[in-house]
Amino acid sequence: MTISILTQTRDFSIQQNLIPHNWQDYADIPFVIPAMCFPWEIFKPIERDYYTLLYLHLKNERAHDHSDEIQPALFSIPEEEDKSASLLFHPSPAGRKPHPFMPFFRAFELASLQYIEVMVESVYLQVKSNPLFATMCGFTEKIPSYRSFARFDQIMTTNGLWEKARLLVVEYNKGGRRG
């Protein structure tokens, strides 16, 4: 049973549906209170930048992908067969929706409260092996792959988004709250 909690955090009212338990039972675990009470909305500008950069990253990745050249050769269809079968070799440019930004972001930010090194490998293993941590971060369905975690961190690092996020926290803590 999911408990809906309305948490007041300074200037924000956040509807939380993160834990399928009574979260007060877990208050002594270092990441629970920050996960529930921190105003994660201050990172919306970072989220927008991330999705734009992810789109460009994936577009660039597809541009350098040579599997389209190899695949038809491996599964060639003789000319006399149905021409409609060749549509199988042209994937849709739309693709599937990306994983949500905030669970990844929370995982990396809350990992240090677990006294683990904030690296892709350790964050991924923490999410994969600790169901409470995964839930508090916001992973509600299947845990994304290691490659998704690595891509997230790569985009955040190479484009200076981690630093922008830290500056937003400083601004928030100094009193320049948004809301």
Side-chain angles (χ1 to χ4, degrees):
M1 176 171 106
T2 302
I3 299 172
S4 177
I5 301 166
L6 183 63
T7 306
Q8 295 293 327
T9 58
R10 298 190 190 185
D11 300 310
F12 296 95
S13 294
I14 305 169
Q15 185 69 33
Q16 300 287 335
N17 290 316
L18 295 177
I19 304 185
H21 315 290
N22 187 358
W23 72 268
Q24 291 87 350
D25 294 343
Y26 302 96
D28 60 335
I29 299 173
F31 60 84
V32 172
I33 298 295
M36 295 298 293
C37 298
F38 190 81
W40 298 100
E41 293 82 15
I42 67 172
F43 301 112
K44 284 291 184 189
I46 305 294
E47 182 176 14
R48 281 191 302 272
D49 291 348
Y50 170 77
Y51 282 129
T52 301
L53 293 164
L54 175 63
Y55 170 77
L56 296 172
H57 177 83
L58 293 174
K59 184 177 178 182
N60 187 40
E61 210 174 66
R62 281 190 297 269
H64 295 349
D65 184 14
H66 299 291
S67 64
D68 290 344
E69 299 166 8
I70 298 168
Q71 190 176 9
L74 291 174
F75 302 103
S76 60
I77 299 173
E79 289 282 327
E80 60 274 358
E81 286 194 27
D82 185 13
K83 300 284 186 191
S84 65
S86 66
L87 295 175
L88 296 173
F89 300 119
H90 302 290
S92 166
R96 59 182 161 189
K97 289 182 180 180
H99 295 289
F101 167 83
M102 199 52 72
F104 283 114
F105 188 79
R106 285 182 181 181
F108 279 91
E109 290 298 315
L110 295 173
S112 63
L113 299 176
Q114 283 291 91
Y115 306 107
I116 62 169
E117 194 170 356
V118 182
M119 297 176 20
V120 175
E121 295 86 1
S122 55
V123 172
Y124 172 73
L125 289 173
Q126 184 68 15
V127 169
K128 194 82 169 158
S129 64
N130 185 339
L132 179 62
F133 184 77
T135 304
M136 290 304 298
C137 292
F139 293 104
T140 56
E141 297 175 7
K142 184 181 147 197
I143 303 296
S145 68
Y146 170 79
R147 184 175 179 200
S148 296
F149 277 83
R151 182 185 302 126
F152 177 83
D153 186 51
Q154 178 188 6
I155 291 170
M156 294 288 289
T157 302
T158 57
N159 296 288
L161 296 180
W162 288 124
E163 184 59 29
K164 288 180 183 177
R166 290 188 199 342
L167 292 174
L168 285 173
V169 171
V170 169
E171 179 185 326
Y172 176 80
N173 286 335
K174 286 177 22 180
R177 296 168 185 92
R178 298 177 188 169

